[in-house]
Amino acid sequence: MQTTLRLAAIYNILWGAWVVLFPQHFWELVGMEPMRHPMVWQGMGMVIGVYGLGYWWASYDPMRHWPIVAVGGLGKLFGPAGFLMNYATGLVPFGFFYTLITNDFIWWIPFGLILWRVHKVYRWRLTS
């Protein structure tokens, strides 16, 4: 659990910094039209980076700090759901899908296993 959360922390902090410092780079990599308002994308990068700090702190006692993992896990479910809704209505191009692979999909199993353990041990109770 500790290793998973620390890897997630490092990834999120690096991804967040990349998006904040180079907001148009992703769009160039996937051949999409540059953003008209990069500040919105940079704000997303800031939020993802802050999640990274939360994961790092949670890594010291994952069972106690499971709500941080749960919030991150929910984001990793709702992000792809939001993409699907926006893609289906034509509001976002398919190229955006690539962010879901590393930001969401690869974390589903490890975060799910942490949360499953919390459920088995604590039945979702907050611990002291």
Side-chain angles (χ1 to χ4, degrees):
M1 288 187 275
Q2 183 180 50
T3 300
T4 293
L5 291 172
R6 290 201 174 167
L7 288 172
I10 292 166
Y11 170 80
N12 279 44
I13 291 167
L14 290 175
W15 192 91
W18 171 54
V19 168
V20 168
L21 297 173
F22 308 102
Q24 299 293 2
H25 192 230
F26 168 77
W27 310 99
E28 294 166 5
L29 285 175
V30 298
M32 291 171 57
E33 181 181 323
M35 287 206 55
R36 288 184 223 146
H37 304 286
M39 185 175 74
V40 174
W41 187 241
Q42 289 172 308
M44 176 80 136
M46 182 274 305
V47 170
I48 299 299
V50 170
Y51 269 99
L53 295 174
Y55 296 151
W56 189 268
W57 295 324
S59 76
Y60 288 99
D61 190 349
M63 297 295 284
R64 180 174 182 211
H65 301 295
W66 69 263
I68 294 172
V69 181
V71 168
L74 288 171
K76 292 173 187 327
L77 291 174
F78 293 145
F83 166 77
L84 287 173
M85 287 174 29
N86 285 289
Y87 180 71
T89 59
L91 294 174
V92 67
F94 184 78
F96 196 80
F97 176 83
Y98 298 111
T99 64
L100 303 178
I101 297 167
T102 55
N103 282 3
D104 301 307
F105 299 146
I106 66 169
W107 303 107
W108 282 5
I109 291 173
F111 275 51
L113 290 172
I114 292 170
L115 294 171
W116 179 254
R117 176 104 174 110
V118 167
H119 169 68
K120 296 302 265 182
V121 174
Y122 293 119
R123 300 273 190 235
W124 305 113
R125 290 186 313 268
L126 296 176
T127 63
S128 56

